[in-house]
Amino acid sequence: MAGGVEELLVMLNHMVQDAWSFPLGADRCVLERDKLLDLIEEITASLPADLKQARTIVESRNEVLAAAKREAESIKRTAEDRARQMVSQEEVIAQARHRANELLTTAEAKSRDIRRATNEYVEDTLKRTEDAISSALNEVRSSRSKFKQVALAKPKEHKNRQSGN
């Protein structure tokens, strides 16, 4: 008679609307019992197939939703793992930069200390060298002066010896 449950229900609705009303009883009507029972049997016969199809559609929908949810969770976990790795790499880079800055600061401080110590050493060495050269020069001058005195004194003595003889 009809194709689907919806069509059968539409026919049932038309049957009730087209039914004769009782006089003084607007809510009550007269329906053909056989046609109504046949229509109900068709609906009852159609329901299991339609319900089975609806259940299959709902199950398929649920499976698709579950698969989508699993995929979304997987994507979320992957994204979180990647984010953690990136944060971890950023932390390593930040720590490396911090350590490099510390080493550079320490190296600069040591370089200043070594430069200062070198300058002090060179200054001290040059002063001692200058003092040693000055002392040696004074000794040379003193020796020269003594040499002059001895050299000048000997000719006089030599003359005195010659004239006293």
Side-chain angles (χ1 to χ4, degrees), residues 12 17 23 30 42 44-45 49 66-68 74 80 82-83 85 108-110 120 134 140 148 159:
L12 181 62
Q17 286 179 354
V30 177
E42 279 189 55
T44 305
S74 174
E80 287 172 346
R82 181 70 180 131
Q85 288 174 349
E108 288 172 350
K110 284 184 180 182
E120 288 174 2
S134 178
V140 166
K148 279 184 182 179
K159 283 184 183 179

Side-chain angles (χ1 to χ4, degrees), residues 50-164:
D50 286 351
L51 285 176
K52 184 177 180 184
Q53 184 180 8
R55 282 189 188 118
T56 303
I57 291 170
V58 168
E59 287 173 5
S60 294
R61 184 190 129 247
N62 288 341
E63 287 175 11
V64 168
L65 288 174
K69 188 174 183 179
R70 284 191 301 271
E71 186 175 351
E73 286 296 322
S74 174
I75 290 169
K76 181 181 172 187
R77 279 192 302 277
T78 302
E80 287 172 346
D81 289 345
R82 181 70 180 131
R84 274 193 290 279
Q85 288 174 349
M86 290 174 73
V87 167
S88 177
Q89 287 174 349
E90 288 297 321
E91 288 176 3
V92 168
I93 290 169
Q95 289 174 355
R97 283 184 180 146
H98 179 70
R99 183 67 179 135
N101 286 337
E102 286 178 349
L103 291 174
L104 184 59
T105 302
T106 302
E108 288 172 350
K110 284 184 180 182
S111 174
R112 280 191 304 272
D113 290 346
I114 289 171
R115 192 176 303 120
R116 184 184 40 77
T118 302
N119 288 342
E120 288 174 2
Y121 174 77
V122 168
E123 177 63 28
D124 182 57
T125 301
L126 288 174
K127 179 158 180 15
R128 284 187 284 131
T129 302
E130 182 182 3
D131 290 346
I133 290 172
S134 178
S135 176
L137 182 60
N138 287 338
E139 280 185 39
V140 166
R141 284 182 180 156
S142 172
S143 294
R144 188 171 165 218
S145 175
K146 287 179 185 174
F147 175 74
K148 279 184 182 179
Q149 287 176 355
V150 169
L152 292 175
K154 285 200 178 198
K156 287 182 184 178
E157 273 182 31
H158 187 54
K159 283 184 183 179
N160 286 340
R161 279 190 196 160
Q162 284 179 353
S163 51

